[in-house]
Amino acid sequence: MIALTLLTTPLALYRLPPSEAVPDWTVRARDFLTISRTPTELSIVADEAALPEELDAERGYRAFRVNGPLPLDLIGIFAVIASPLADAEVPIFPIATFDTDYVLVPGGALATAIAALEAAGHRIVVEDARGAARTT
């Protein structure tokens, strides 16, 4: 069983060419921001409200945070979360940080994701706007 926190802030995924500068609007992200530059893309995940409305982004994602911090040599965390979501046909967008892991799901699949994760034995708490948590 893994303890997960469902973050309340809707997130957006945005991709730019790899040579682009990090957009100025990213400083408006207050709850969640991750930026990855690779040889093939500049990938940004941020608070949906931070993105200008005219951008063609994937919006409405929700994030489950694995309650951490996790040791860097821990094996299989994404697998035990991804498996029940795959069985429930919920697509995921995983993100790892130094301290923990996040699994993003489309907002339209959130209820299915919660049901699948709870059926697999995972415990989910919901973070409110002040950062406090409550059990689902």
Side-chain angles (χ1 to χ4, degrees):
M1 181 202 64
I2 294 178
L4 302 165
T5 298
L6 174 62
L7 307 184
T8 56
T9 302
L11 303 176
L13 288 56
Y14 187 61
R15 180 182 60 217
L16 291 162
S19 60
E20 290 287 324
V22 173
D24 292 339
W25 56 258
T26 59
V27 300
R28 294 193 302 262
R30 296 288 180 240
D31 293 327
F32 196 97
L33 174 65
T34 184
I35 302 170
S36 299
R37 185 183 304 276
T38 71
T40 60
E41 69 178 309
L42 174 63
S43 178
I44 301 170
V45 179
D47 306 353
E48 185 176 295
L51 276 76
E53 288 185 27
E54 68 272 8
L55 293 182
D56 184 21
E58 297 294 324
R59 298 173 188 270
Y61 274 72
R62 297 294 301 279
F64 292 96
R65 178 182 61 223
V66 177
N67 295 348
L70 305 173
L72 291 175
D73 61 352
L74 193 60
I75 297 169
I77 292 296
F78 277 133
V80 297
I81 297 169
S83 181
L85 293 175
D87 291 345
E89 298 184 357
V90 174
I92 66 169
F93 188 95
I95 297 173
T97 68
F98 193 89
D99 282 342
T100 192
D101 296 328
Y102 293 82
V103 174
L104 282 60
V105 300
L110 183 60
T112 302
I114 290 171
L117 291 167
E118 289 180 335
H122 302 304
R123 187 173 62 88
I124 299 170
V125 296
V126 178
E127 182 179 83
D128 69 16
R130 296 177 312 255
R134 64 178 168 77
T135 304
T136 59

